[in-house]
Amino acid sequence: MGRERQEERSAKDRQLDEARWDPSEGYLTTDQGIRVADTDNSLTVGDRGPSLLEDFHLREKIMRFDHERIPERVVHARGSGAHGYFQVYESLARYTSAEFLRDPSVRTPVFVRFSTVQGSRGSADTPRDVRGFATKFYTSQGNFDLVGNNMPVFFIQDGIKFPDFVHALKPEAPNEMPTAASAHDTFWDFVSLQPETMHHVIWLMSDRAIPRSYRMMQGFGVHTFRLVNDDGRSTFVKFHWAPKLGTHSLVWDEAQKIAGKDPDFNRRDLWEAIDTGQYPEWELGLQIIPPEREFDFPDIDLLDATKIVPEELVPVTPIGRMVLDRNPENFFAETEQVAFCVGNVVPGIDFTDDPMLQARLFSYLDTQLTRLGGPNFAQLPINRPVAPVANHQQDGFHQQFVRQGVANYHPNSTGGGCPVVAGGANGGFVHFPERLDGEKVRRRAPSYADHYGQATLFWNSMSDWERRHIIAAYRFELGKVTRPEIQRRSVAQLNRVDHDLAVAVAVGIGVSPPDRPEVDNHGRRSDRLSQATAPHDTIATRKIAILVADGIDRECVTSLVDGLVARGAVAELLAPTGCEVRTGAGGLAVTRAVTTVASVLYDAVVLPDGTPAITAMRADGYLVHFVAEAYKHGKPIGALGAGRMLLEHARLPVPEATGSDAGMVLQSGSGAATETFVEAFAAAVAAHRHHDRPV
Ligand code: HDD
């Protein structure tokens, strides 16, 4: 759908045309192009006789089916992708020679894949987990892959620990449990023995680990990278993606229920938003650090991926915008076969000596050999750069091109010396000539030694409700751990992050509270880390359930829908049965039967006026539960006229008459929803969740 809508088709889209095929016309054939006469019956001797080996169609059809699956990604197996474009606001030529960051008129095609880390390919979208945020920029100078996450730090400091970490995180070896969860012994055993994980673990225990939508989460390149300009000057940068819709999360109980009600929750959300033209958008920002400031940050080594550089120290400079405006046409060909490699950089972008980053440079290239079955994976349509490719790499499994001529070596005269080696002057990639001197050692730098300070900073920066959620998450996770010594060790580690946090968790899981540690909480905070302080100013694409039944007030419903849709929200009419409900003024089409969905799939609920409808709803346990559950999850609830009767029936605290309180918005009297009501309700939806309600 999005493809037709695009004003101008990108170079990548035009390139994909070569790979597109449309099965909507022509005859069914074998892979050899032979028309098939019958695809429903095997070739047999007589009607009931044995099948014949010569049935080439049967053999080919079954053989192809047998081999449809490829190995899933060893991490980040579950994911969803989309196409779009990136455009820089103004030239960054003073920092980089990357052309896509220098020309504001250029729209660079991108493909983005979002993912969870722990679960297998078919696991649910909403576990407590880190989310991957990987972007492939198809630039005129070749592919640049920014393979990031929705959290700005990582669990370990050196990539050599990645296999240990992932083994501990993944389902346990004897029984392949638990799926898509970190709440088990091996994960907590590892992290409690490896304190460098403490900072990332507290992010994982926060609401960041249960994003409401891929469209509503930040992205981070995590490592410090370099930009290098035409004069060879290097500048350190950290990449930040900021979602236009704000950063919002689910609540934990809701996330677990969604995993059952709609395991594809985040995938569907992304697909539907793009399909209906509400294109997700992010702003790309950079923390820019000149080389002379490299050692200006006490306790922060820029090469340590377990540390952030707080925005108070280095603000984020917005540099461009990414829009995702087209869904994939084929999940396997695009989202499954896309191969991100951290080592894919273009001239003007370079690496640093972060040992995590360096290990990744090997791993991503290497893993594709197993996953995609050979070294020619860059020739797959989704992976091909739009920049021309010409080199002497050849052969291997699944080679797609027929190379011409004899010159498959360099230097050559048989091919006129082609392809020509560019050198730096003609746009060839020149590695930043970093000056290095040192002994070969296996040793962690002393500047990486502080494992607790930034976990404490994160904890200090949270609002009260965020802290409550973090405590509950630690209690949940450690409560599932079966070995008491791992629970105790985890609490002892937490005690070095914050004593009160450790005590609260210990009490919750029945472990003796620790003594106050020698080194106390340093008291520093960074306001940008809290989701509470982020802007809450739009209801665009929020999903609002309007509960209706026979006898609902039509004018009330239509005015509500109009008011909410005008503000960009998605309003759905949910009724006891599908199709339509009766109103005094004729039938009213409904979106779907409420029994096919659940409150956890919506951001807010409204009960319109209409005494007969509300009276009937009061007798429907599913609907009463729908409203009570939405309340429990802090969601805005609106009620107009008779609608308040259902809230009272569900024994929810209801504001007196017209007015709003803690996300409960009421309008007394009958008739259309007033502008005042819609405005107040929209404000409650924009605020997202109301965590300070009495329960
Ligand atoms: Fe990784 C996949 C992000 C550390 C090894 N990683 C993968 C994906 C994302 C990340 C988003 C999914 C890409 C996709 O959608 O196809 N990984 C990160 C981040 C890290 C990180 C932000 C830390 C800053 N990863 C990391 C290390 C190693 C790997 C230290 C190994 C030394 N990651 C891989 C991998 C994967 C992968 C095994 C699995 C599938 C793939 O690469 O293509 O190579």
Side-chain angles (χ1 to χ4, degrees):
M1 207 168 178
R3 184 141 62 95
E4 290 83 55
R5 280 205 213 100
Q6 270 182 330
E7 294 148 27
E8 60 183 84
R9 300 179 67 225
S10 73
K12 185 64 194 173
D13 204 13
R14 290 197 302 276
Q15 184 196 59
L16 283 170
D17 281 345
E18 294 163 27
R20 290 188 170 111
W21 74 278
D22 179 359
S24 65
E25 57 184 35
Y27 290 104
L28 186 79
T29 75
T30 67
D31 279 348
Q32 307 305 321
I34 295 150
R35 287 186 189 172
V36 172
D38 179 345
T39 193
D40 299 325
N41 298 292
S42 308
L43 189 67
T44 55
V45 180
D47 285 351
R48 302 181 59 249
S51 302
L52 294 176
L53 189 59
E54 76 176 68
D55 186 349
F56 56 81
H57 180 48
L58 168 74
R59 278 187 281 119
E60 181 190 84
K61 192 171 172 182
I62 301 295
M63 178 277 285
R64 288 297 306 269
F65 168 75
D66 288 345
H67 300 279
E68 282 177 4
R69 299 288 173 272
I70 62 171
E72 66 175 31
R73 288 166 174 82
V74 58
V75 282
H76 294 265
R78 169 76 184 175
S80 305
H83 293 270
Y85 62 87
F86 171 80
Q87 200 161 12
V88 72
Y89 294 143
E90 54 186 57
S91 175
L92 294 179
R94 66 185 181 287
Y95 297 118
T96 180
S97 39
E99 278 168 19
F100 82 106
L101 295 177
R102 291 156 61 116
D103 187 348
S105 71
V106 169
R107 276 189 173 187
T108 301
V110 298
F111 187 78
V112 176
R113 184 172 178 275
F114 303 106
S115 48
T116 55
V117 180
Q118 203 264 15
S120 52
R121 208 187 123 176
S123 58
D125 278 342
T126 57
R128 176 173 297 286
D129 201 352
V130 179
R131 298 301 185 281
F133 189 144
T135 310
K136 191 180 279 295
F137 298 78
Y138 304 95
T139 88
S140 61
Q141 294 170 296
N143 287 351
F144 166 51
D145 292 357
L146 183 58
V147 193
N149 281 338
N150 75 329
M151 299 178 192
V153 286
F154 203 69
F155 295 95
I156 46 174
Q157 295 174 321
D158 188 328
I160 201 168
K161 296 299 302 163
F162 194 68
D164 298 302
F165 166 68
V166 174
H167 291 174
L169 168 71
K170 280 275 183 175
E172 295 187 9
N175 54 20
E176 187 78 2
M177 290 197 285
T179 294
S182 51
H184 60 116
D185 284 37
T186 56
F187 175 77
W188 286 95
D189 190 33
F190 177 84
V191 297
S192 59
L193 291 168
Q194 191 78 32
E196 70 203 48
T197 58
M198 285 301 113
H199 188 198
H200 200 173
V201 169
I202 197 166
W203 279 81
L204 185 67
M205 293 304 110
S206 80
D207 290 356
R208 302 286 186 135
I210 37 175
R212 155 66 180 84
S213 160
Y214 292 137
R215 304 174 295 120
M216 299 173 195
M217 62 183 203
Q218 287 177 285
F220 302 90
V222 180
H223 311 284
T224 305
F225 287 84
R226 289 176 191 279
L227 295 183
V228 183
N229 71 10
D230 287 350
D231 300 329
R233 182 181 154 81
S234 145
T235 308
F236 293 116
V237 289
K238 282 182 167 281
F239 292 99
H240 293 242
W241 291 112
K244 192 177 172 198
L245 296 175
T247 308
H248 304 297
S249 294
L250 301 168
V251 296
W252 181 226
D253 179 64
E254 182 189 17
Q256 293 176 84
K257 289 174 175 162
I258 291 174
K261 294 284 184 184
D262 184 4
D264 305 310
F265 182 71
N266 288 145
R267 177 177 289 179
R268 191 183 311 285
D269 168 274
L270 179 67
W271 183 276
E272 286 179 352
I274 295 175
D275 204 39
T276 54
Q278 290 179 309
Y279 301 139
E281 209 175 305
W282 286 260
E283 184 163 70
L284 183 62
L286 294 180
Q287 282 182 298
I288 300 172
I289 305 167
E292 48 291 359
R293 289 197 66 200
E294 180 175 1
F295 302 107
D296 274 6
F297 311 101
D299 299 331
I300 304 171
D301 191 319
L302 294 182
L303 306 184
D304 175 358
T306 68
K307 304 288 189 312
I308 58 164
V309 178
E311 292 183 36
E312 288 80 1
L313 298 180
V314 180
V316 176
T317 308
I319 64 153
R321 177 176 90 106
M322 177 169 77
V323 179
L324 298 183
D325 61 357
R326 187 160 67 76
N327 279 316
E329 285 151 302
N330 185 278
F331 184 91
F332 182 84
E334 299 171 270
T335 310
E336 194 59 18
Q337 292 203 116
V338 67
F340 293 94
C341 293
V342 179
N344 291 351
V345 288
V346 295
I349 302 178
D350 211 332
F351 314 115
T352 57
D353 300 327
D354 176 344
M356 279 281 298
L357 176 56
Q358 294 290 326
R360 294 180 76 195
L361 295 180
F362 169 67
S363 186
Y364 290 72
L365 191 63
D366 181 54
T367 199
Q368 316 304 346
L369 299 180
T370 300
R371 198 171 75 77
L372 297 170
N376 286 309
F377 60 86
Q379 295 179 4
L380 289 166
I382 192 66
N383 295 327
R384 286 179 59 193
V386 295
V389 175
N391 57 41
H392 301 304
Q393 268 85 271
Q394 67 172 20
D395 303 350
F397 284 113
H398 320 305
Q399 173 59 248
Q400 302 295 304
F401 297 107
V402 181
R403 189 189 177 97
Q404 308 291 294
V406 294
N408 55 358
Y409 52 92
H410 175 87
N412 69 64
S413 67
T414 51
C418 289
V420 178
V421 176
N426 290 313
F429 189 97
V430 178
H431 290 266
F432 178 68
E434 184 186 7
R435 180 171 292 280
L436 292 169
D437 178 29
E439 294 161 353
K440 275 188 206 165
V441 289
R442 286 192 188 274
R443 200 165 59 210
R444 203 64 65 85
S447 52
Y448 287 38
D450 172 21
H451 300 325
Y452 304 97
Q454 288 209 342
T456 308
L457 180 80
F458 185 80
W459 171 251
N460 290 349
S461 309
M462 295 294 105
S463 63
D464 287 347
W465 59 265
E466 288 172 305
R467 287 184 179 200
R468 289 200 302 273
H469 292 184
I470 289 171
I471 293 168
Y474 275 109
R475 286 176 168 182
F476 179 94
E477 297 261 320
L478 287 168
K480 295 245 181 195
V481 167
T482 62
R483 292 171 173 82
E485 69 274 17
I486 299 178
Q487 293 179 316
R488 283 194 293 272
R489 199 190 310 128
S490 300
V491 168
Q493 292 288 8
L494 269 184
N495 203 32
R496 303 185 63 174
V497 174
D498 181 79
H499 178 64
D500 295 341
L501 168 62
V503 170
V505 172
V507 168
I509 62 171
V511 163
S512 313
D515 296 334
R516 193 166 278 284
E518 280 168 27
V519 182
D520 219 348
N521 186 318
H522 54 59
R524 290 192 296 276
R525 44 185 293 138
S526 170
D527 285 339
R528 303 302 299 265
L529 298 176
S530 166
Q531 286 179 267
T533 57
H536 289 81
D537 50 10
T538 174
I539 67 165
T541 77
R542 299 301 173 82
K543 247 177 147 176
I544 297 167
I546 302 179
L547 301 186
V548 296
D550 286 343
I552 204 78
D553 185 302
R554 184 189 189 94
E555 193 191 358
C556 181
V557 174
T558 48
S559 57
L560 263 172
V561 172
D562 291 349
L564 294 171
V565 170
R567 288 164 172 82
V570 178
E572 293 200 350
L573 302 192
L574 309 180
T577 57
C579 234
E580 65 170 35
V581 291
R582 288 192 295 275
T583 75
L588 181 66
V590 305
T591 316
R592 61 189 97 242
V594 68
T595 45
T596 64
V597 288
S599 83
V600 291
L601 306 179
Y602 294 86
D603 291 299
V605 186
V606 195
L607 302 163
D609 188 28
T611 306
I614 300 295
T615 307
M617 283 185 204
R618 284 196 305 187
D620 184 334
Y622 200 85
L623 287 171
V624 176
H625 175 256
F626 194 105
V627 177
E629 188 179 50
Y631 178 86
K632 169 111 179 78
H633 294 149
K635 293 177 182 173
I637 300 180
L640 300 99
R644 74 174 292 134
M645 292 184 339
L646 191 61
L647 301 183
E648 285 161 354
H649 185 73
R651 297 174 184 236
L652 301 178
V654 190
E656 276 310 305
T658 296
S660 69
D661 185 25
M664 305 287 281
V665 186
L666 266 80
Q667 175 182 312
S668 55
S670 55
T674 63
E675 187 57 24
T676 315
F677 173 85
V678 177
E679 199 49 50
F681 185 67
V685 176
H688 192 56
R689 296 298 161 82
H690 299 267
H691 296 295
D692 290 318
R693 273 179 184 165
V695 272

